[in-house]
Amino acid sequence: MAPSFRDIIAAVQPHPDELWQTDLWEARRLALEVGRPIFLWAMNGNPL
Amino acid sequence: MAENSSPLQSQPDAKGEFFRLVAEQGHYGGRTFPTSTRQGLYVCTPGGTTLGALNTRDAGPLLEMLQTALERWDHLAVHATSKAPGEYDRFRPDRYPHGGLVLRAIARDLPRKMDTRIDDWRKIAWNLDYAWFTREEVASLVPDPALLGATAEASPELVRRLGRFHLRDFVRGEPAPWPADALHDAALSSVVTGVSGDTITVSLHGRIRLEAEFRWVRQGDGESHESPCSFDATLSGEAEWDRVTGRFVRFDLAASGPRAGTQQYNNRPDDLGPAPMAVVFELAGDTPRDRTPPHTVLHAQYFGEPA
């Protein structure tokens, strides 16, 4: 540390402990390619 | 895979139809009250047979659902549909700003002198979003000629989108965009502080003040609510522009200051403020995860079109 922008960015960064396909159609194609089912996380908003 | 279900619940194209096929076999199939949401966690075959579904934040029930779904998968006689899905007529065009600026935005409360927040998740909450700007919009931040000390003003469109759609209090949830008349004292400027070969370093400075009264009717009991909201953001940062590619190769921007108020979906009714908050922006990568669209990208005015 009028904190600098670097101070603020550092203060806001998530901790590593707190830290995917994003197109259902592409996921469907990939699932067929590898012969596995799809795990779909769907939310009103963006899950990621 | 992870995707926003809001558009998928109704969009009239092949992807929307596939999502609805899966969702209607799941936990919210057919539901219309209190909402028609279909959000949740699903396991399905590429052909659209749902093998498991639920909506939970708890790991235990999710693990149980996944195990059951995989057992069902193992017992299926046929795993694949006859052909791979091809291209389809997209209802919504892909607006990813190729060649422009894609930023990852993180919002979190800053330390306060007097802290009365409840000591639970709300005290450590942070949230993530993405911001999209076109190549033309971000070029406005690079002085021409880029001599030491030269200055430039960000285009009105860049400042408008940054303020209305990204300087929202999304620390705990999902606020609506600010209305057009909420934007005050909005400016972002740059100053060339270094030139090394083809790399131009600029410092970023500005302020965006937002004020509006939000009103909503709570679903379920129909109760009306209103809350005066504000965010007085001081902008500061630094970025590096590559003259060869015409792109920023580093972009660090902090927007910080007092915020106040609550909205229907941002979980602030117990913390009306004013209290300090920051939204910080950094370059995003180009993995599928970092191509997650901005939360408000479907708003008619995100890219400047009239309402």
Side-chain angles (χ1 to χ4, degrees), chain A residues 25 28 38-40 42-44 46, chain B residues 1 5 37 40 42 44 46 86 293:
Chain A
W25 202 252
R28 192 181 172 205
I38 299 166
F39 171 66
L40 165 61
M43 291 191 71
N44 298 117
N46 288 318
Chain B
M1 68 84 44
S5 57
T37 184
Y42 299 86
C44 66

Side-chain angles (χ1 to χ4, degrees), chain A residues 5-6 8 12-14 18 20-25 28 32 35-46 48, chain B residues 1-6 9 37 39-40 42-44 46 73 85-86 108 126 128 174 236 238 256 282 288 293:
Chain A
F5 74 88
R6 289 187 179 87
I8 296 167
V12 169
Q13 287 300 324
E18 298 174 305
W20 291 98
Q21 288 295 320
T22 52
D23 182 312
L24 180 57
W25 202 252
R28 192 181 172 205
L32 269 171
R36 299 298 294 165
I38 299 166
F39 171 66
L40 165 61
W41 180 14
M43 291 191 71
N44 298 117
N46 288 318
L48 305 183
Chain B
M1 68 84 44
E3 190 161 0
N4 185 350
S5 57
S6 294
Q9 287 167 193
T37 184
Q39 68 180 353
Y42 299 86
V43 176
C44 66
W73 169 261
R108 193 195 286 267
W126 62 276
L128 172 67
E174 303 172 87
S236 60
E238 189 175 80
S256 62
E282 298 174 297

Side-chain angles (χ1 to χ4, degrees), chain B residues 22 25-27 41-43 50-55 65 72:
Chain B
V22 171
Q25 301 166 63
H27 49 286
L41 301 146
Y42 299 86
V43 176
T50 300
L51 304 171
L54 83 173
N55 189 20
M65 184 276 276
R72 289 173 179 159

Side-chain angles (χ1 to χ4, degrees), chain B residues 1 5 15-16 51 80 101 112 125 137 187 198 203 216 225 262-263 269-270 273 279 282 305:
Chain B
M1 68 84 44
S5 57
K15 186 163 79 166
L51 304 171
L101 181 66
R112 4 181 133 178
E137 289 163 356
D198 289 317
S203 64
W216 65 96
H225 294 263
T262 186
Q263 290 191 38
D270 60 337
V279 183
E282 298 174 297
E305 291 89 346

Side-chain angles (χ1 to χ4, degrees), chain B residues 89-291:
Chain B
D89 290 333
R90 291 168 180 267
F91 177 64
R92 291 185 171 85
D94 179 6
R95 301 293 297 267
Y96 184 82
H98 297 278
L101 181 66
V102 177
L103 299 175
R104 184 187 306 117
I106 298 173
R108 193 195 286 267
D109 289 345
L110 293 175
R112 4 181 133 178
K113 290 174 182 169
M114 174 78 89
D115 197 340
T116 57
R117 289 173 298 173
I118 297 169
D119 198 9
D120 62 9
W121 71 272
R122 286 168 285 195
K123 211 167 184 173
I124 57 171
W126 62 276
N127 209 344
L128 172 67
D129 198 6
Y130 290 89
W132 287 357
F133 300 97
T134 66
R135 189 185 187 100
E136 294 71 27
E137 289 163 356
V138 295
S140 68
L141 278 170
V142 185
D144 184 16
L147 304 173
L148 274 180
T151 63
E153 291 293 324
S155 71
E157 178 60 20
L158 188 156
V159 173
R160 184 195 69 86
R161 188 174 316 135
L162 180 67
R164 286 190 59 198
F165 295 93
H166 294 293
L167 298 188
R168 303 173 302 135
D169 175 11
F170 63 100
V171 172
R172 299 181 180 182
E174 303 172 87
W178 294 95
D181 60 4
L183 202 59
H184 304 282
D185 304 328
L188 174 63
S189 59
S190 65
V191 181
V192 176
T193 57
V195 179
S196 175
D198 289 317
T199 303
I200 301 163
T201 302
V202 295
S203 64
L204 303 168
H205 305 276
R207 181 188 183 197
I208 296 180
R209 184 168 60 86
L210 297 142
E211 287 184 7
E213 179 140 311
F214 283 87
R215 303 165 190 267
W216 65 96
V217 175
R218 192 162 60 190
Q219 289 166 318
D221 62 9
E223 191 176 321
S224 295
H225 294 263
E226 58 186 52
S227 176
C229 293
S230 60
F231 183 30
D232 188 350
T234 298
L235 309 176
S236 60
E238 189 175 80
E240 290 180 355
W241 176 264
D242 181 350
R243 269 196 273 229
V244 176
T245 59
R247 301 183 69 169
F248 280 109
V249 293
R250 182 168 69 86
F251 196 97
D252 298 319
L253 178 67
S256 62
R259 55 131 291 265
T262 186
Q263 290 191 38
Q264 185 170 14
Y265 294 119
N266 76 341
N267 291 306
R268 284 286 197 189
D270 60 337
D271 187 22
L272 297 176
M277 176 184 81
V279 183
V280 303
F281 300 87
E282 298 174 297
L283 278 188
D286 59 3
T287 63
R289 183 187 78 223
D290 276 336
R291 289 178 177 234

